[in-house]
Amino acid sequence: MIVKLLNFYAEDGAVHIGASDGEKTVDVSAVGYSWGWQEIFADWEKIRPQIESVLQHAKPLAHGLRFAPAVTAPGKILCVGLNYASHRAEVPFGAPKYPALFSKFNNALNASGGEVLLPTGAKELDYEAELVVIVGKKVKDASEEEAAAAIFGYTAGNDFTARDLQRRTSQWLLGKTPDGFAPLGPYIVPAAEIDVSHLAVRTFVNGEMRQDGRTSDMIFSPAAIVRYISKCMTLDPGDVIFTGTPHGVIFGLPEKERRWLKAGDEVVVKIEGIGELRNRIA
């Protein structure tokens, strides 16, 4: 059984932790368990069989679940740019020797099913499908083996970007972290449950496939990214890292062929083995 974890909004509006086996989704507190994410990060091997028991015995949640962000309060949201060879070739930013890091803030957090609104004055909204690392252990100055062990799991993300704001200056921040520009989810797959070395990463806009890449095209692996970041700053449980996007973004097209996202568009990020992250442009 592959166990996937999630956050969802209960009837009272509170965020609960859920679990899914692909067919059945349950509230892990439904039979008396009350772990938080820090407990799950710290003691997953012990908690996993208990979650399997919940999946077997708890009443399934109704369809139409309202998802919360897969991580609701990360201390850091870090992102890696230009990390797929095919994407580097389609955009005019050059090829950095090291992982190109930037950040988003918690105001950008969003969930599967959430709406994305373009900021006032911006016109060029783009998608970026990304495999996202969820850190599960505090790590500093890590070896690559220690970095790999610090990864709790993975989720799907969409690094929405307002390209016109991104290009205003040499700093990308303004175009990357408007409200709702970092949807995560809907599921977290623990690292022990999945091999992320060759996953399909795809984006669909209104049903049309726009991105079709594989994580094997990454220049820096998730463990290498964690190791690199840990040389400069401490990573803590719950931090998230967007690991880059494959080719196929709107900005990579010839200027006359670019058709930016508009109100009413549905953008779906599909990552093999993890799930589908759906967002509509408001």
Side-chain angles (χ1 to χ4, degrees):
M1 177 193 300
I2 295 178
V3 174
K4 298 181 180 183
L5 303 172
L6 61 142
N7 284 315
F8 70 96
Y9 293 102
E11 290 184 0
D12 62 359
V15 176
H16 286 205
I17 298 172
S20 174
D21 61 6
E23 296 183 2
K24 180 181 181 182
T25 301
V26 299
D27 184 340
V28 300
S29 66
V31 290
Y33 292 114
S34 58
W35 315 294
W37 281 106
Q38 294 304 315
E39 289 85 359
I40 291 173
F41 293 150
D43 211 5
W44 174 242
E45 290 186 6
K46 179 180 177 181
I47 289 175
R48 188 191 191 285
Q50 296 172 324
I51 288 182
E52 286 184 340
S53 178
V54 176
L55 279 164
Q56 290 176 355
H57 299 107
K59 179 181 178 182
L61 292 165
H63 294 293
L65 202 63
R66 183 185 169 209
F67 293 106
V71 180
T72 57
K76 293 182 273 299
I77 304 173
L78 299 170
C79 309
V80 183
L82 309 172
N83 192 34
Y84 283 68
S86 58
H87 179 53
R88 281 189 179 183
E90 71 176 350
V91 294
F93 291 124
K97 295 179 181 179
Y98 305 100
L101 298 177
F102 59 93
S103 61
K104 291 177 180 266
F105 300 122
N106 282 7
N107 67 291
L109 287 172
N110 205 339
S112 186
E115 292 187 335
V116 177
L117 179 65
L118 194 63
T120 301
K123 297 179 181 179
E124 300 177 358
L125 181 59
D126 206 347
Y127 49 77
E128 292 191 8
E130 309 214 6
L131 178 73
V132 178
V133 165
I134 298 162
V135 177
K137 295 180 182 178
K138 186 172 184 176
V139 61
K140 179 73 168 73
D141 286 324
S143 67
E144 191 147 340
E145 293 75 18
E146 291 168 333
I151 297 173
F152 172 76
Y154 300 90
T155 190
N158 194 332
D159 175 20
F160 279 106
T161 305
R163 298 296 186 188
D164 42 353
L165 300 185
Q166 181 187 15
R167 298 197 311 273
R168 279 185 179 176
T169 70
S170 61
Q171 302 300 314
W172 294 358
L173 183 69
L174 194 62
K176 291 291 189 175
T177 194
D179 295 346
F181 270 38
L184 294 171
Y187 302 109
I188 296 172
V189 179
E193 310 270 339
I194 190 169
D195 177 1
V196 298
S197 64
H198 193 61
L199 300 180
V201 179
R202 298 185 173 102
T203 298
F204 296 80
V205 178
N206 302 326
E208 177 189 354
M209 188 165 66
R210 300 287 186 86
Q211 290 185 281
D212 183 15
R214 286 201 170 267
T215 53
S216 52
D217 191 39
M218 279 188 184
I219 296 161
F220 302 103
S221 70
I225 292 166
V226 171
R227 178 178 183 271
Y228 177 75
I229 294 171
S230 80
K231 300 300 181 183
C232 300
M233 68 185 83
T234 301
L235 290 169
D236 295 301
D239 287 347
V240 299
I241 306 168
F242 285 70
T243 61
T245 197
H247 69 284
V249 299
I250 300 170
F251 188 52
L253 295 170
E255 189 169 352
K256 291 183 179 180
E257 296 178 21
R258 295 172 187 167
R259 299 292 182 268
W260 304 107
L261 296 173
K262 63 184 184 305
D265 286 345
E266 183 185 50
V267 184
V268 181
V269 169
K270 296 184 181 181
I271 300 186
E272 183 181 2
I274 294 177
E276 299 183 4
L277 172 66
R278 296 177 173 271
N279 296 99
R280 189 169 295 277
I281 311 306

